Amino acid sequence: NAGVTQTPKFQVLKTGQSMTLQCAQDMNHNSMYWYRQDPGMGLRLIYYSASEGTTDKGEVPNGYNVSRLNKREFSLRLESAAPSQTSVYFCASSQDGSYEQYFGPGTRLTVT
Amino acid sequence: KQEVTQIPAALSVPEGENLVLNCSFTDSAIYNLQWFRQDPGKGLTSLLLIQSSQREQTSGRLNASLDKSSGRSTLYIAASQPGDSATYLCAAPLTTDSWGKLQFGAGTQVVVTP
């Protein structure tokens, strides 16, 4: 089992460009999450999906959109990147009835 | 909304010493609290999850306690080793009805010197 995988590992964008961060899990989990991690601020929830076909906003959703393509995949899209979106992005998943979350290795994004 | 604080932000100890990491939270009506480990440039690994009905949880050299009345959790790592060097984060549910949505502390960066 690969667990939670994320692509790409690194990305540099110019202000205004768009991109999609990909996440996939092979643990048959219903719930998936996107977080961002900034220095000194811990992780903050951007969006989450409780099941295939459903998504909901987290603490910091502005500037992002998500798609729960199927049970395995949950993507995060930046339509018009801004320097404030420079961060490390983590995807996570959890099993129904369990609070324990499994994290991917992260995507380091720099917006210039 | 839950607020989670970890103090200190960084800690350095000699090998063999016991580590004590602190986590404070504002909403005592939590369902659980989790401790994670993060190695540089890597994702988070779940270490321990304490349910609200439990007072502590143990795994090997790790022991985590939960005191809801005082809004505190403590992670103890016995007989620290250089391999324990990492950032440790705690997390609690964002609100009492936010199943799965976590509020993280900023973490404590630990260095264990040989």
Side-chain angles (χ1 to χ4, degrees):
Chain A
N1 284 352
V4 180
T5 57
Q6 293 182 237
T7 55
K9 286 187 166 44
F10 301 94
Q11 184 71 49
V12 178
L13 291 178
K14 290 186 175 8
T15 297
Q17 287 185 317
S18 62
M19 78 161 294
T20 300
L21 281 63
Q22 307 286 355
C23 173
Q25 52 90 10
D26 62 2
M27 296 175 282
N28 203 35
H29 289 168
N30 275 325
S31 299
M32 297 185 73
Y33 314 84
W34 276 106
Y35 293 91
R36 62 178 286 174
Q37 185 176 33
D38 301 297
M41 296 192 70
L43 279 77
R44 291 181 292 169
L45 183 66
I46 305 172
Y47 269 94
Y48 75 102
S49 170
S51 62
E52 184 180 346
T54 68
T55 62
D56 207 348
K57 295 178 181 178
E59 189 182 0
V60 289
N62 291 346
Y64 305 95
N65 285 303
V66 290
S67 295
R68 184 73 183 267
L69 305 168
N70 47 54
K71 191 170 186 179
R72 289 188 65 248
E73 298 171 290
F74 188 36
S75 62
L76 178 73
R77 183 159 179 85
L78 286 70
E79 291 291 353
S80 178
S84 61
Q85 294 178 305
T86 293
S87 188
V88 182
Y89 291 85
F90 289 100
C91 177
S93 70
S94 66
Q95 197 170 18
D96 279 356
S98 170
Y99 288 94
E100 187 171 5
Q101 295 188 13
Y102 295 82
F103 282 77
T107 294
R108 189 173 295 273
L109 175 67
T110 302
V111 183
T112 60
Chain B
K1 179 194 155 193
Q2 185 72 265
E3 301 287 342
V4 179
T5 305
Q6 292 184 253
I7 295 172
L11 187 59
S12 181
V13 298
E15 182 177 2
E17 197 165 292
N18 295 334
L19 277 163
V20 180
L21 306 177
N22 298 306
C23 174
S24 300
F25 48 91
T26 54
D27 185 353
S28 61
I30 59 171
Y31 293 132
N32 58 71
L33 188 131
Q34 295 185 62
W35 283 93
F36 295 86
R37 170 184 171 135
Q38 185 176 28
D39 292 292
K42 300 288 176 68
L44 278 68
T45 302
S46 179
L47 295 174
L48 290 167
L49 185 152
I50 314 173
Q51 303 288 359
S52 60
S53 57
Q54 298 174 308
R55 293 188 69 86
E56 64 179 55
Q57 187 74 262
T58 298
S59 176
R61 293 184 296 112
L62 276 59
N63 175 277
S65 65
L66 177 64
D67 184 343
K68 290 173 60 178
S69 62
S70 66
R72 297 172 73 171
S73 177
T74 303
L75 178 67
Y76 300 89
I77 304 178
S80 62
Q81 304 168 359
D84 294 327
S85 298
T87 297
Y88 293 83
L89 298 97
C90 63
L94 200 59
T95 62
T96 53
D97 62 351
S98 63
W99 184 88
K101 291 185 280 185
L102 297 177
Q103 180 71 37
F104 281 83
T108 296
Q109 185 176 14
V110 171
V111 174
V112 180
T113 55

